[in-house]
Amino acid sequence: MPQDQGQSHGQNHGQSQDPQPARWQCAGARWGRGGPALVWRHPAQGERLSPLTPDRPLSFTTGPRRACVGVRRGARHTPCPAGAEVPASAVSAQCPDCARLDRSYSVAADTRTDDPRPYDVYLAWFGPDLVKVGITAAEREGARLLEQAALSYCLLGRGPLMAARRAEAVLGAALGVPDRFPYAAKRTARETPPPPERRAADLAALHQRARGLGGLPESLALAPFEPVHHDVAFHLDRVRPAPGLIQLVPEATVAGHIDAVAGPDIHLTSTDGRALLLDTRQLAGWPLAAAEPDAPTTAPVARREREAEAPEGLF
């Protein structure tokens, strides 16, 4: 685990003064104003971040088991009371009990309807014919679109939670705009994206159609068309086609350097020159120890499915 927020986990780990470094647990990736970072948690020392920047070395070895990351609400984290083991291949890093608790008061799961915060309704562009509608808390300032790996997006309007939910449903029914896609399709589209102008044109046409719909809630304040593009945030010019997806298993090593990060995916060049993908959703829950920067990658690598893959989880 890094000793400060500016140090990558995988560098100088052996110099840590933590008497039980294995107790640091990776909690996946988080997008903030400073870009993407890996999140680390320790039962006594709290939470730390390791920035994920291009060209940064990333080298680690997984521990003997993957454990539930517990529940996080806002700035408060509650560890899993059972320390339950999570399957290595699962997208979610929560055990069933913690997942149920998490969703019991969740906007995404429609179990929280009394949230007083304003919400944005957005249209997100992931690829040709891959445009979705969704909502996000206005205070997050677009972080959810970064988490979902949207290449471009625009806001349709802002209003109370239930008005935003109603608008989302109206757009889905009237325009045939879904609220999610298989994640494999997003990854494939990211490798050869059209220019921002093409994406903006697609979003502009849909934005105009959406504004003209009847049935939108009066309490939703419509927004002018202002597209946002994530080419720079994701370093799309550094994304190479990656045929291999790293499969994390106990006592496996991953080593290389970061090319780019988009949503939960780290685009990585391994020490033997392979272009690989590391899904940080599956990294969450593992205790990690530093590996030598030039170590071979011993983690299994599966051939990536480019069309049919498990649907994107709620994250």
Side-chain angles (χ1 to χ4, degrees), residues 258-312:
I258 297 170
D259 293 320
V261 181
D265 287 338
I266 297 176
H267 289 258
L268 183 76
T269 295
S270 64
T271 50
D272 59 5
R274 289 178 293 168
L276 301 175
L277 274 174
L278 175 62
D279 188 337
T280 58
R281 295 173 298 176
Q282 294 179 308
L283 188 60
W286 289 101
L288 304 180
E292 292 298 324
D294 58 351
T297 293
T298 62
V301 177
R303 184 170 182 82
R304 211 181 90 216
E305 296 186 35
R306 306 182 73 83
E307 295 182 358
E309 190 173 320
E312 172 192 347

Side-chain angles (χ1 to χ4, degrees), residues 37 50 66 82 103 132 143 161 166 189 193 195 238 246 252 263 286 303:
S50 295
R66 184 187 185 197
R103 292 177 68 82
K132 62 163 279 188
L161 172 59
R166 170 64 181 168
R238 298 174 59 100
I246 294 171
W286 289 101
R303 184 170 182 82

Side-chain angles (χ1 to χ4, degrees), residues 200-226:
D202 289 351
L203 286 171
L206 190 59
H207 187 272
Q208 184 176 12
R209 290 176 61 197
R211 284 182 63 107
L213 288 175
L216 291 177
E218 294 183 359
S219 56
L220 186 76
L222 296 179
F225 178 66
E226 296 178 351

Side-chain angles (χ1 to χ4, degrees), residues 14-311:
Q15 298 177 10
S16 172
Q17 299 304 308
D18 183 356
Q20 293 182 307
R23 295 180 67 191
W24 283 103
Q25 180 191 47
C26 181
R30 182 184 304 166
W31 282 85
R33 292 186 178 182
L38 284 181
V39 181
W40 305 98
R41 295 197 183 111
H42 189 282
Q45 299 189 37
E47 186 175 280
R48 299 288 187 273
L49 301 177
S50 295
L52 294 170
T53 53
D55 295 323
R56 191 161 198 168
L58 185 69
S59 53
F60 61 83
T61 299
T62 55
R65 68 192 289 270
R66 184 187 185 197
C68 175
V69 295
V71 177
R72 181 176 182 266
R73 289 179 180 163
R76 181 180 178 183
H77 171 249
T78 302
C80 175
E85 186 168 359
V86 176
S89 60
V91 172
S92 172
Q94 290 178 313
C95 70
D97 287 343
C98 285
R100 279 192 293 270
L101 178 61
D102 205 13
R103 292 177 68 82
S104 67
Y105 196 57
S106 166
V107 169
D110 283 331
T111 53
R112 181 179 183 182
T113 59
D114 59 347
D115 192 332
R117 298 174 298 172
Y119 274 78
D120 288 333
V121 182
Y122 62 79
L123 299 170
W125 196 102
F126 296 92
D129 301 319
L130 296 175
V131 181
K132 62 163 279 188
V133 60
I135 71 171
T136 182
E139 66 186 29
R140 299 204 64 204
E141 300 180 339
R144 180 161 175 76
L145 283 303
L146 292 164
E147 293 169 352
Q148 293 187 350
L151 301 188
S152 302
Y153 76 95
C154 66
L155 298 183
L156 176 64
R158 177 174 295 180
L161 172 59
M162 298 313 294
R165 275 288 186 225
R166 170 64 181 168
E168 182 183 37
V170 168
L171 265 65
L175 301 180
V177 182
D179 62 1
R180 70 187 62 205
F181 299 106
Y183 200 77
K186 297 182 183 182
R187 286 173 169 154
T188 300
R190 185 190 311 152
E191 294 174 348
T192 55
E197 294 78 12
R198 157 69 191 284
R199 296 176 240 152
D202 289 351
L203 286 171
L206 190 59
H207 187 272
Q208 184 176 12
R209 290 176 61 197
R211 284 182 63 107
L213 288 175
L216 291 177
E218 294 183 359
S219 56
L220 186 76
L222 296 179
F225 178 66
E226 296 178 351
V228 177
H229 305 294
H230 288 153
D231 300 56
V232 173
F234 292 161
H235 298 278
L236 288 183
D237 59 328
R238 298 174 59 100
V239 170
R240 295 191 292 155
L245 182 64
I246 294 171
Q247 308 292 295
L248 295 170
V249 296
E251 311 294 349
T253 295
V254 174
H257 67 266
I258 297 170
D259 293 320
V261 181
D265 287 338
I266 297 176
H267 289 258
L268 183 76
T269 295
S270 64
T271 50
D272 59 5
R274 289 178 293 168
L276 301 175
L277 274 174
L278 175 62
D279 188 337
T280 58
R281 295 173 298 176
Q282 294 179 308
L283 188 60
W286 289 101
L288 304 180
E292 292 298 324
D294 58 351
T297 293
T298 62
V301 177
R303 184 170 182 82
R304 211 181 90 216
E305 296 186 35
R306 306 182 73 83
E307 295 182 358
E309 190 173 320

